[in-house]
Amino acid sequence: MALDLRLLSSFLAVVEEGHFGRAAARLFLSPPAVTQHIRRLESQVGARLLDRSGSPVVPTAAGVRFAGHARALLDAANAALDDLAGVAQETDGGRPLRVGIMGHGSAELTPAAINAYRRARPEVRVEIRQLDFTEHVTALVEDRVDVAFVRPSPKDERLVADVLTTEQRIVVVHERSPLADARTSGIEVADLTELPLFRVPGHTPHSFTDYLYFGDRAQRRSSEYAVTPQEVLTGVVTGRSAGSGLRSFARYYAWPGAVFIPVLDAPWESSYLAVRAGDDNPEVRIFRALAVALAKDMGPGINAL
């Protein structure tokens, strides 16, 4: 039986926090995701590991025993990764440039910038890391990525960001939604009153929730949580929630059953390349310069699609 290390991390977080919500916030996951991890783990080991009947949540007798094994497995995995990271730096010429991408990033500009950097700096490894909706500040601040394609602009003095694309806002609904007929004519923000937009975890930056909910003018919320475009689309096509985004979202996530509707009176929004303020890494400066130059050339065409 192969144990998923993510399940072990979620289990230990709940044990240490005594609360599913706090564990989820610590792991930058949604509470339903942590709950699902625990259920999968309990199914795999064939025992109930947590007593959920009271507050705080506490491990069962089996959970206490399993926690020691879980910590040992995670420690061993982390030690192995640290050891291999050192070997990789010795054999591959040092630290790679780590590029974070939230969703589809800045549409067609994202792969164009990455490919331009690879042509300019073929000796530098590039690592692509997918970011969820909660990470467009933390991934950079916690030094998990060096540059990040995000939206909207992170409101954090530790980061700086360049505008790359500027696009019309859209919402995505199930094909049987009352709004679906407006896919060509469009709607206004006032029409979103009854649209059940998906929820995001409480630790999601306010700048993102403000963008997501049109400055809180779209006030209804689904019971469904999402932190990735795939989770948004799953909620939409199963009729449980709706989503919002930029117009290019429709080109990248054209799922059967999902209908994309322009929001005519919503201000257009931008995607950004964010970096740490004052980062003196020359590779970051090179990547940023290439992305900004490409945005001047490609941006107007992308914005018009």
Side-chain angles (χ1 to χ4, degrees), residues 171 179 182 186-195 217-218 261-265:
V171 291
L179 297 179
I187 58 174
E188 296 184 347
V189 175
D191 299 318
L192 304 179
T193 306
E194 296 303 315
L195 194 66
R217 294 166 68 192
I261 307 167
V263 184
L264 303 176
D265 62 338

Side-chain angles (χ1 to χ4, degrees), residues 149-205:
F149 290 91
V150 300
R151 59 192 178 282
S153 178
K155 291 182 171 58
D156 192 298
E157 63 184 10
R158 296 169 291 182
L159 307 178
V160 294
D162 300 297
V163 174
L164 297 184
T165 64
T166 302
E167 304 178 50
Q168 187 179 41
R169 295 298 308 280
I170 57 96
V171 291
V172 53
V173 302
H174 190 277
E175 61 187 357
R176 291 194 296 272
S177 166
L179 297 179
D181 290 341
R183 69 182 76 192
T184 55
S185 59
I187 58 174
E188 296 184 347
V189 175
D191 299 318
L192 304 179
T193 306
E194 296 303 315
L195 194 66
L197 292 172
F198 67 89
R199 294 179 182 270
V200 290
H203 61 278
T204 304

Side-chain angles (χ1 to χ4, degrees), residues 7-271:
L7 309 188
L8 301 183
S9 295
S10 290
F11 167 66
L12 288 177
V14 176
V15 169
E16 291 165 6
E17 297 291 341
H19 190 275
F20 277 82
R22 289 195 296 272
R26 169 173 148 182
L27 297 169
F28 302 105
L29 295 173
S30 66
V34 172
T35 299
Q36 184 182 44
H37 284 178
I38 299 303
R39 287 174 178 165
R40 285 173 55 194
L41 183 61
E42 289 179 329
S43 176
Q44 278 192 293
V45 302
R48 190 165 63 93
L49 300 174
L50 295 172
D51 182 352
R52 303 162 173 81
S53 62
S55 182
V57 175
V58 296
T60 62
V64 171
R65 293 183 63 181
F66 188 74
H69 296 299
R71 288 191 181 94
L73 287 170
L74 286 176
D75 287 345
N78 289 331
L81 290 174
D82 289 343
D83 182 52
L84 288 177
V87 172
Q89 288 190 3
E90 292 173 6
T91 58
D92 294 345
R95 172 170 164 163
L97 183 75
R98 301 162 300 168
V99 180
I101 306 174
M102 191 172 73
H104 65 293
S106 295
E108 291 82 357
L109 188 59
T110 303
I114 293 169
N115 290 334
Y117 176 80
R118 281 175 165 154
R119 288 192 297 271
R121 302 288 291 161
E123 69 276 16
V124 179
R125 289 182 300 120
V126 176
E127 292 184 357
I128 308 299
R129 303 191 179 183
Q130 200 66 41
L131 307 181
D132 68 37
F133 298 152
T134 70
E135 294 182 291
H136 71 318
V137 170
T138 56
L140 283 162
V141 169
E142 296 175 0
D143 194 26
R144 288 183 275 117
V145 300
D146 301 303
V147 299
F149 290 91
V150 300
R151 59 192 178 282
S153 178
K155 291 182 171 58
D156 192 298
E157 63 184 10
R158 296 169 291 182
L159 307 178
V160 294
D162 300 297
V163 174
L164 297 184
T165 64
T166 302
E167 304 178 50
Q168 187 179 41
R169 295 298 308 280
I170 57 96
V171 291
V172 53
V173 302
H174 190 277
E175 61 187 357
R176 291 194 296 272
S177 166
L179 297 179
D181 290 341
R183 69 182 76 192
T184 55
S185 59
I187 58 174
E188 296 184 347
V189 175
D191 299 318
L192 304 179
T193 306
E194 296 303 315
L195 194 66
L197 292 172
F198 67 89
R199 294 179 182 270
V200 290
H203 61 278
T204 304
H206 178 72
S207 57
F208 187 84
T209 58
D210 189 60
Y211 153 83
L212 176 65
Y213 302 129
F214 298 88
D216 210 33
R217 294 166 68 192
Q219 296 185 348
R220 187 179 174 197
R221 303 288 179 268
S222 166
S223 61
E224 296 294 312
Y225 282 81
V227 294
T228 67
Q230 291 76 18
E231 291 176 347
V232 173
L233 269 296
T234 298
V236 169
V237 299
T238 55
R240 299 196 302 267
S241 62
S244 76
L246 302 179
R247 189 179 184 89
S248 57
F249 189 91
R251 298 199 299 277
Y252 282 79
Y253 300 102
W255 283 27
V259 173
F260 301 88
I261 307 167
V263 184
L264 303 176
D265 62 338
W268 284 35
E269 291 279 0
S270 299
S271 67

